[in-house]
Amino acid sequence: LDEVSKKSSLHPKPAGLVLQYGTAGFRTNAKQLDHVMFRMGLLATLRSKKTEATIGVMVTASHNPEEDNGVKLVDPMGEMVTPTWEGYATQLANAEQEDLLAALKDVIEKEAINMSQEANVFVGKDTRSSSASLSQAVLDGVSALGGHSKDYGLVTTPQLHYMVCCQNTQGKYGEATVEGYYKKLCQAFIQLTNNASNCTDDQKHLSVDGANGIGALKVREMESHLKKELHISLFNDGSKGKLNHQCGADFVKVQQNAPTGIKINPGERGCSFDGDADRIVYYYIDSEGQFHLLDGDKIATLISTFLKELLTQAALDLKIAVVQTAYANGSSTHYLEDTMKVIVRCTKTGVKHLHHAAQEFDIGVYFEANGHGTVLFSKAAEEKIQQLAENPGADDERKRAALLLQNTVNVINQTVGDAISDMLLIEAILAIKGMTIQQWDAIYSDLPNRQLKVKVSDRRVIDTTDAERRAVSPAGLQEAIDSLVKKYRQARSFVRPSGTEDVVRVYAEAETQESADDLAHEVSLAVY
Ligand code: NG1
Ligand code: ZN
């Protein structure tokens, strides 16, 4: 631990600074993060010793502005680090310089960590100007505790999750290289699109907004693997514009408008990634110039419809469910439950909650409305699909469906939401079904909705229940919301404290945009 004291003085903590490991790790102005990065290198090393597996550390602040940065830890199977260790992360990040060793010893003791155990840490970073030195601070932390590290350099968040999972499953999930990732995904994509025989070149075209971030770089790298089965026009590739500025998935979802810097003809498909390429949303502009957003809910609907049809064709008895949050558009939930007859679950905001709920089904499709999501297949489901696909006696229709399911398993990144992987699956589904983006959009109509942010002195006074759909404190708030909601048709509204920003979020939906806007405004007044 001598080495730790020596090296930590090169990454000193500003006295008094307090940060919290939130919904998506630490996230704040990059200038405040050097000590946090060093310490997350230390913590990842301890986590690796504890789990006797490789741990990931991703340096990114996703959709935040370029000046910010952040860090998240990735557990052995590629999932988010467990809550207890999020707590340790907060303790370690906030320990004053002279208390760091004691804080570290505390974790070692509580977790009974064998310090002679080997440690391996994979590190990745996004394209922010601060990411290079911050990821070096992580690497310094790892080496201070004698851990081994592998620096993947510039990768998307989901690529790093994928590498960690591959490494810890001895290659069963794939090869732990960026090249291996492209090969696996693109091969599955091409096999899927082989089933779309009458797809024209026009239908193979997609405009991608790379948010001036890492996703753009990686789409470029991947292109040659696609063998012209998908023609991508890449915009906001980072050569001119600023990261996430007036572009990217978060901008498009919240503004309900096209990103700047993209050229897209009426009726054509476009999609936007966020700054670390773990979110994706689709859109098109109709002949009247009207913008149409296809968000995470529409994506979940498209994917679950496709999977359900394949399960029927394959005559496989597997239970499929869709997991959403309170932000899911009410129309999507109705459509999924009443028309598609799939199980729908609602969890708290934050990918780890959705991921966890999705694990309880044979096939769990989970998406946040903002476009973060993926599909999870249970081991048993994967085995059944494989058996059928390889069964020489199975009839042709069943076998074709099983093969499509198998390639779907391979194209999707099951470790975490992945814009690139989701994009390939969506493009394959549209091609196979011969579906236009307008037809996809018409599956159901979104209820008009509005999201607002409210600044309050202490957002933690708001406490929620029922997957954040109802407020239990402060007293009277829920009653006030209920009576406002009653004034409008098809209305719903809720409030919750953000886990990533110092604001309270207000969501409202109603029969008309005017009503949704009014309701959101009235509810935000009730929050003060
Ligand atoms: P918060 O700030 O807790 O609402 C936001 C998103 C989440 C999730 C996290 C992490 C909304 C309403 N909230 O969380 O869905 O993606 O950021 O990035 O979009
Ligand atoms: Zn992101």
Side-chain angles (χ1 to χ4, degrees):
L1 293 183
D2 279 354
E3 196 60 16
V4 174
S5 328
K6 228 176 12 202
K7 287 202 173 154
S8 76
S9 61
L10 300 173
H11 303 280
K13 173 183 180 295
L17 179 64
V18 177
L19 299 167
Q20 182 96 30
Y21 196 99
T23 326
F26 293 102
R27 215 181 269 191
T28 184
N29 189 289
K31 293 200 177 87
Q32 300 188 317
L33 282 169
D34 185 66
H35 69 292
V36 175
M37 297 293 168
F38 175 77
R39 293 163 183 211
M40 288 309 103
L42 298 176
L43 189 68
T45 309
L46 293 186
R47 181 77 185 142
S48 174
K49 289 178 189 288
K50 169 78 187 186
T51 57
E52 300 183 17
T54 296
I55 294 297
V57 182
M58 182 70 197
V59 176
T60 180
S62 186
H63 58 274
N64 286 40
E66 151 80 21
E67 310 77 72
D68 286 356
N69 217 321
V71 57
K72 356 184 202 194
L73 298 189
V74 181
D75 251 2
M77 286 303 117
E79 70 283 38
M80 309 277 176
V81 78
T82 62
T84 327
W85 283 71
E86 289 185 2
Y88 297 150
T90 302
Q91 280 167 27
L92 221 54
N94 294 329
E96 294 303 335
Q97 202 60 26
E98 61 277 13
D99 304 328
L100 178 59
L101 274 192
L104 205 58
K105 280 185 189 147
D106 189 48
V107 179
I108 295 169
E109 226 160 77
K110 275 193 185 129
E111 292 291 328
I113 292 168
N114 170 8
M115 292 304 284
S116 59
Q117 176 67 39
E118 259 198 44
N120 285 294
V121 179
F122 284 180
V123 181
K125 60 168 182 271
D126 72 12
T127 56
R128 279 161 219 270
S129 51
S130 59
S131 289
S133 72
L134 290 177
S135 79
Q136 188 53 53
V138 175
L139 294 166
D140 287 354
V142 177
S143 80
L145 272 178
H148 303 283
S149 56
K150 179 161 177 180
D151 183 6
Y152 278 88
L154 293 167
V155 284
T156 69
T157 294
Q159 282 177 334
L160 187 77
H161 284 252
Y162 179 93
M163 301 312 154
V164 170
C165 180
C166 289
Q167 182 68 18
N168 289 319
T169 51
Q170 284 75 44
K172 275 200 210 94
Y173 195 63
E175 199 192 299
T177 63
V178 176
E179 197 62 17
Y181 167 94
Y182 296 135
K183 278 199 184 126
K184 179 179 170 184
L185 269 58
C186 293
Q187 195 176 28
F189 172 75
I190 287 165
Q191 291 190 12
L192 282 170
T193 51
N194 281 342
N195 288 273
S197 43
N198 40 20
C199 193
T200 65
D201 268 7
D202 261 6
Q203 288 164 325
K204 289 182 187 170
H205 180 256
L206 174 68
S207 294
V208 177
D209 156 25
N212 291 314
I214 185 69
L217 252 67
K218 297 295 146 176
V219 162
R220 277 261 147 80
E221 264 177 32
M222 177 177 72
E223 256 184 322
S224 65
H225 295 269
L226 288 169
K227 310 263 187 275
K228 305 215 158 57
E229 282 305 310
L230 181 61
H231 309 170
I232 294 176
S233 300
L234 185 60
F235 300 92
N236 298 325
D237 64 355
S239 58
K240 297 190 291 277
K242 214 168 146 187
L243 178 69
N244 296 325
H245 182 66
Q246 308 275 315
C247 64
D250 197 63
F251 171 85
V252 171
K253 168 73 180 159
V254 176
Q255 303 301 320
Q256 307 195 19
N257 220 329
T260 56
I262 198 167
K263 264 204 246 75
I264 178 169
N265 294 320
E268 283 182 0
R269 291 193 301 283
C271 67
S272 288
F273 294 3
D274 75 338
D276 62 342
D278 60 0
R279 291 193 198 175
I280 184 169
V281 294
Y282 269 73
Y283 40 84
Y284 69 97
I285 293 160
D286 67 23
S287 49
E288 264 104 67
Q290 176 79 34
F291 175 80
H292 296 260
L293 174 68
L294 291 87
D295 63 2
D297 305 334
K298 291 250 160 147
I299 295 172
T301 305
L302 180 74
I303 295 175
S304 52
T305 305
F306 177 69
L307 291 172
K308 203 172 172 220
E309 285 167 2
L310 291 181
L311 289 177
T312 307
Q313 288 163 20
L316 279 174
D317 182 24
L318 295 172
K319 204 181 246 168
I320 179 167
V322 176
V323 184
Q324 307 184 312
T325 70
Y327 292 99
N329 196 276
S331 292
S332 74
T333 315
H334 275 142
Y335 179 80
L336 289 164
E337 283 181 334
D338 303 343
T339 308
M340 268 190 62
K341 312 258 183 246
V342 298
I343 304 163
V344 178
R345 285 287 146 82
C346 184
T347 71
K348 286 203 237 176
T349 301
V351 181
K352 59 186 173 210
H353 301 295
L354 290 106
H355 193 93
H356 195 73
Q359 280 172 329
E360 283 170 29
F361 301 91
D362 296 320
I363 303 179
V365 179
Y366 74 81
F367 270 87
E368 294 192 300
N370 61 31
H372 187 126
T374 186
V375 186
L376 303 185
F377 294 84
S378 72
K379 251 214 143 45
E382 282 189 10
E383 276 163 13
K384 277 191 187 173
I385 291 166
Q386 191 182 349
Q387 268 166 20
L388 181 57
E390 287 165 5
N391 177 358
D395 75 57
D396 285 355
E397 195 201 354
R398 287 189 70 198
K399 207 164 170 149
R400 174 181 179 271
L403 284 166
L404 284 170
L405 283 166
Q406 207 173 26
N407 285 312
T408 303
V409 171
N410 287 332
V411 85
I412 201 83
N413 183 346
Q414 293 190 56
T415 64
V416 76
D418 182 337
I420 290 179
S421 145
D422 290 342
M423 171 185 82
L424 293 178
L425 177 57
I426 292 162
E427 290 300 310
I429 294 174
L430 294 176
I432 293 166
K433 292 170 84 76
M435 204 180 209
T436 63
I437 191 163
Q438 292 77 5
Q439 289 167 330
W440 169 21
D441 194 30
I443 294 178
Y444 65 83
S445 304
D446 274 325
L447 275 173
N449 58 88
R450 179 62 59 201
Q451 246 197 76
L452 294 177
K453 295 181 195 183
V454 186
K455 274 253 177 227
V456 294
S457 53
D458 183 9
R459 69 190 200 276
R460 261 153 277 198
V461 300
I462 296 186
D463 207 356
T464 63
T465 182
D466 188 22
E468 304 175 325
R469 288 172 291 192
R470 296 189 64 79
V472 288
S473 77
L477 177 58
Q478 187 57 47
E479 289 72 17
I481 296 174
D482 288 343
S483 68
L484 291 169
V485 166
K486 273 203 201 104
K487 293 174 27 191
Y488 301 94
R489 282 145 70 108
Q490 288 186 274
R492 185 170 72 90
S493 181
F494 65 91
V495 300
R496 55 174 280 281
S498 160
T500 61
E501 287 175 70
D502 188 17
V503 295
V504 171
R505 292 196 200 283
V506 174
Y507 176 86
E509 62 185 32
E511 194 178 32
T512 64
Q513 190 62 55
E514 203 189 350
S515 303
D517 291 348
D518 289 349
L519 178 57
H521 180 69
E522 288 165 4
V523 169
S524 63
L525 294 179
V527 169
Y528 280 110

